[in-house]
Amino acid sequence: MSTENEGNEGTAAEAVPSVPSAPPVPADAPQGSPESRPDAPAYPQASDAAAAQRSPRAQQPYPPTEEPATATTPMASVPSTPPPGLQSAAEANWPPPPPAVPAYAHLGADGGGAGPVWGAPAQLASPEGPRKRGMGGLVAAVAAAALIAGGIGGALGYWAADRNDSANGSTTVAASANPQDLKREPGTVAGVAAKALPSVVTIDAQGGDGEGGTGTGFVYDKEGHILTNNHVVASAADSGQLTATFSNGKKYDAEVVGRAQGYDVAVLKLKNPPSGLTPLTLGNSDQVAVGDSTIAIGAPFGLSNTVTTGIISAKNRPVASGDGSGGSNSYMSALQTDASINPGNSGGPLLDARGAVIGINSAIQSTGSSVGQTQAGSIGLGFAIPINQAANVAQQLIKTGQPVYPVIGATVTMDERTGGAAIPGQGTGGTAAVAKGGPADRAGLKAGDVITKFDDTVIDSGPTLIGEIWTHKPGDRVTLTYKRDGKTATAEVTLGERRGDS
């Protein structure tokens, strides 16, 4: 589990009878693919291990006077950490060609089929026999045909309009070209994004040792508190520099108010907050249902103000995530979403269809990174800290500067193959696995017991138990089901508390 949250050539030709002669179309049209154009949208990927299959070279409808040279252009990719900027014109193979076969039409190893791609024409025979043709010929022919058709259509349209105006005196009215005149309804994704984006910030954390990274946060209150993940700011929490940049480009210095490593929650404070801050509305994560729409906002791979959409895929998903250093783990009973979440999305809001925050994007499941890549990207399995829990932690951090954790007063193993949360023979550093006089001890739990249920939630491992405990507050009464010597029993436990991460 990682925190957060980016050819082959084939032929499809078949000889057919020759066509009547016609003026040849220039064959030396610009080469390239939609993926290589600077204006093509860049979708960050976790790795470059699975290269997209290129479409077969299309055949030229009319024989050219010369044999065009064929070329393959590698897919444009976005660097994993963070992108240095757009490619130069030379690197991007500028100028771009007119639109050719769309990328989504490829069929191959990952496409579920092996037939010819959509839109790939058959090869036409010539007196000299079949020849291989470059993509440039097809692109030029299509472009020319489109221009001719457009010219004819425009001429006929003007002629008809002119005759109609002369006869009826009618007047055509064009829509305004000003994008500001296009109003989006509040309930649409565009409407929700437009309202939320001014309250979302891109966080840049630079540690004193030169380490750092980019994450996301959002305005929690009008006093300038920003809610985010602990792992976003951990490198600069003690000595370093933190900045928060709003969607309008304005940047503000920030400082850590408090952070909770176990919850993976942190609160920042803008040093000189602007007036008129608008906090995002907090929703109720307990009322979220599987299938509800979600909208995630963040800065995946440094691409600030990125909006993605999806649904709630599951609730109460036990997740243990780390900050990449191997020494800091957090546990949550998470909201799972298929909205695209990548490194840099961490700390950003997960919104419902109304624009209310229902979670903090925190972790992704990944297939792993490829050789030379240090970060992997979204495969549609993202996890968010439920906002009800995160808001409680934020209030504690603003009030006292340190987190408060509910506990049962017992050590459990982190092994996920025990069929529950097992209490070992002894605790960390040789201490007792069940703290004397603690909640578990008072409830009669002993070393060797295996906890299998927390209230009505099935417990399959230690991390799952911790995640469930931390959705509660100190003083809450819960029922633990456990196994001892092959027999099942239950115990009523009143949760205790632990202050701080140490």
Side-chain angles (χ1 to χ4, degrees):
M1 180 66 59
S2 60
T3 55
E4 341 244 342
N5 16 56
E6 144 140 342
N8 300 328
E9 291 194 9
T11 58
E14 182 177 333
V16 297
S18 59
V19 297
S21 61
V25 180
D28 54 350
Q31 305 250 345
S33 65
E35 292 89 349
S36 66
R37 303 203 312 272
D39 59 338
Y43 297 101
Q45 298 287 336
S47 65
D48 295 327
Q53 182 180 19
R54 300 189 180 280
S55 63
R57 296 300 183 197
Q59 304 304 316
Q60 193 168 350
Y62 302 108
T65 57
E66 295 182 3
E67 184 73 18
T70 60
T72 59
T73 306
M75 280 185 62
S77 61
V78 178
S80 58
T81 54
L86 297 177
Q87 291 178 304
S88 66
E91 293 171 329
N93 206 15
W94 186 265
V101 179
Y104 57 75
H106 293 260
L107 295 176
D110 298 328
V117 298
W118 175 88
Q123 180 179 1
L124 301 180
S126 67
E128 294 79 15
R131 295 184 184 180
K132 291 185 177 180
R133 297 288 184 259
M135 178 67 77
L138 175 64
V139 172
V142 172
L147 289 174
I148 293 171
I152 294 173
L156 292 177
Y158 174 79
W159 177 78
D162 182 65
R163 285 177 55 87
N164 191 49
D165 287 348
S166 299
N168 304 320
S170 64
T171 303
T172 58
V173 179
S176 171
N178 186 356
Q180 294 180 353
D181 292 338
L182 300 176
K183 303 298 183 182
R184 269 77 181 185
E185 295 297 327
T188 63
V189 173
V192 169
K195 184 177 179 181
L197 277 168
S199 299
V200 178
V201 297
T202 299
I203 297 173
D204 183 55
Q206 296 298 324
D209 56 0
E211 294 185 1
T214 301
T216 308
F218 59 92
V219 177
Y220 180 71
D221 57 28
K222 295 183 178 182
E223 285 68 44
H225 289 108
I226 303 295
L227 193 54
T228 186
N229 281 143
N230 171 66
H231 73 259
V232 169
V233 303
S235 62
D238 298 325
S239 61
Q241 184 177 10
L242 288 164
T243 59
T245 304
F246 284 81
S247 60
N248 61 6
K250 294 184 178 180
K251 182 181 295 186
Y252 299 86
D253 291 332
E255 58 187 353
V256 175
V257 172
R259 57 196 186 100
Q261 172 185 307
Y263 292 121
D264 198 15
V265 172
V267 175
L268 308 182
K269 178 75 161 54
L270 301 179
K271 292 184 177 180
N272 295 296
S275 60
L277 285 176
T278 303
L280 289 182
T281 301
L282 303 186
N284 186 343
S285 52
D286 291 339
Q287 295 179 352
V288 171
V290 173
D292 282 351
S293 298
T294 59
I295 302 171
I297 303 180
F301 296 100
L303 301 174
S304 301
N305 309 315
T306 295
V307 177
T308 56
T309 63
I311 62 169
I312 292 293
S313 304
K315 294 180 61 177
N316 304 318
R317 187 71 78 189
V319 173
S321 63
D323 63 357
S325 66
S328 301
N329 290 322
S330 61
Y331 305 93
M332 69 184 93
S333 182
L335 297 175
Q336 180 182 325
T337 180
D338 66 347
S340 182
I341 297 174
N342 287 284
N345 273 107
S346 283
L350 183 68
L351 309 174
D352 63 15
R354 303 169 302 164
V357 182
I358 55 175
I360 299 178
N361 300 318
S362 181
I364 61 171
Q365 177 71 48
S366 175
T367 56
S369 57
S370 63
V371 177
Q373 299 288 333
T374 58
Q375 293 177 315
S378 174
I379 58 172
L381 296 173
F383 304 96
I385 304 168
I387 193 59
N388 289 9
Q389 175 182 336
N392 288 334
V393 177
Q395 292 168 8
Q396 296 167 2
L397 296 177
I398 293 173
K399 184 177 179 180
T400 67
Q402 61 179 348
V404 177
Y405 298 95
V407 297
I408 63 171
T411 300
V412 294
T413 63
M414 295 293 104
D415 192 343
E416 298 185 0
R417 295 167 294 180
T418 57
I423 302 177
Q426 62 180 20
T428 306
T431 61
V434 178
K436 187 176 181 179
D441 183 43
R442 293 193 300 269
L445 293 173
K446 298 179 180 180
D449 291 345
V450 179
I451 300 171
T452 58
K453 290 183 71 174
F454 182 95
D455 285 335
D456 294 327
T457 302
V458 175
I459 301 299
D460 58 5
S461 66
T464 302
L465 176 63
I466 295 174
E468 284 299 318
I469 292 173
W470 286 355
T471 62
H472 289 68
K473 297 179 181 179
D476 287 351
R477 289 184 61 83
V478 299
T479 300
L480 298 182
T481 302
Y482 63 94
K483 289 184 178 180
R484 177 187 298 170
D485 299 329
K487 297 180 180 180
T488 300
T490 61
E492 297 293 325
V493 178
T494 301
L495 299 178
E497 73 172 42
R498 187 193 82 204
R499 292 186 174 273
D501 282 311
S502 57

